[in-house]
Amino acid sequence: MASLKVAVITGASSGIGRHSAIKLSSEGWSLALTARRLAQLEETRSLCANPDACLLVAGEITDEAFVKSLFEETVKKFGRLDLLFNNAGLSDKARPIEEMPLEMFTSVVNVNLIGSFLCTREAFKIYKQQEPTGGRIINNGSLAAHVPRPHSVAYATSKHAVHGLTKTIAIEGRKHNISVTQIDIGNAHTSMAAGHTLGALQPDGRRVVEPTFDPIHVADAVAHIASLPTSVTVLEMNIMATGAPYVGRG
């Protein structure tokens, strides 16, 4: 019988998180799914191949106590952890930096960076203590981690910081058999990117209708990386719509 594989997916109530949950479930993974909206998490679970192997834990990943309980409940139910997909993300409408409220800037950074940090810290504790040791972390980056869009100071800053988190924990995790990946996604057709099909602001001031692609392909990529032995690392992966401009570089 195949060994149990266990994943925590944040932001699992919709979009890439939901598609990744469905894909991993179809490949036999047991899942701890988290997001703020319980009703949408229940819908994600209903779409999975094995709903009985899906633990739902609704809450805020920016809440330290909640994140600790999420990982405690995961290990209590499934006995171990093999994958953390730091997928939860928050964006904001495009606006010049002088119009960016501190509250919104902080909210974006808290979800995209602090939430990923809190989840990563708890995963590291488990990976170092369990037998066999080790596991995998996949961070949902963005093209914005490398080439920001105009008027995206909060989102781009947070994703650049996630890039630093990825590289740092990859170094820390090596000797503990912890493999780390950042998957940088460009224009997957989720609610966050759907507006690009109506015209996205470019660095030269034009608005250009940009192509998108089905997020199921991101889920396939996540599942492939998750299937690799932890002795193999895909440090960075870019997946984007073929016709999308590589924003910031023309």
Side-chain angles (χ1 to χ4, degrees), residues 166-242:
T166 299
K167 292 187 287 187
T168 302
I169 62 177
I171 293 171
E172 277 198 48
R174 285 176 184 170
K175 64 182 178 181
H176 303 289
N177 203 31
I178 300 170
S179 178
V180 181
T181 296
Q182 180 164 311
I183 184 166
D184 293 319
I185 303 161
N187 288 14
H189 196 93
T190 65
S191 58
M192 187 177 290
H196 300 332
T197 62
L198 303 176
L201 182 64
Q202 306 298 309
D204 62 4
R206 293 177 301 140
R207 285 198 173 271
V208 175
V209 174
E210 295 183 1
T212 59
F213 69 100
D214 193 326
I216 194 171
H217 300 302
V218 179
D220 289 343
V222 168
H224 170 67
I225 295 168
S227 72
L228 297 171
T230 53
S231 58
V232 177
T233 292
V234 180
L235 182 60
E236 296 181 31
M237 178 181 183
N238 173 277
I239 181 168
M240 61 189 290
T242 301

Side-chain angles (χ1 to χ4, degrees), residues 5-71:
K5 298 178 293 183
V6 180
V8 168
I9 302 176
T10 70
S13 59
S14 62
I16 289 167
R18 172 174 287 179
H19 283 283
S20 297
I22 294 168
K23 179 64 176 180
L24 289 173
S25 179
S26 74
E27 296 191 355
W29 285 74
S30 295
L31 306 174
L33 306 177
T34 188
R36 292 174 300 162
R37 303 170 296 174
L38 180 58
Q40 284 81 358
L41 281 176
E42 290 173 340
E43 185 176 348
T44 297
R45 179 169 61 182
S46 72
L47 297 169
C48 288
N50 186 4
D52 291 339
C54 295
L55 170 67
L56 305 185
V57 189
E60 294 278 355
I61 62 162
T62 58
D63 183 323
E64 184 176 20
F66 168 74
V67 171
K68 289 182 177 180
S69 68
L70 164 66
F71 285 84

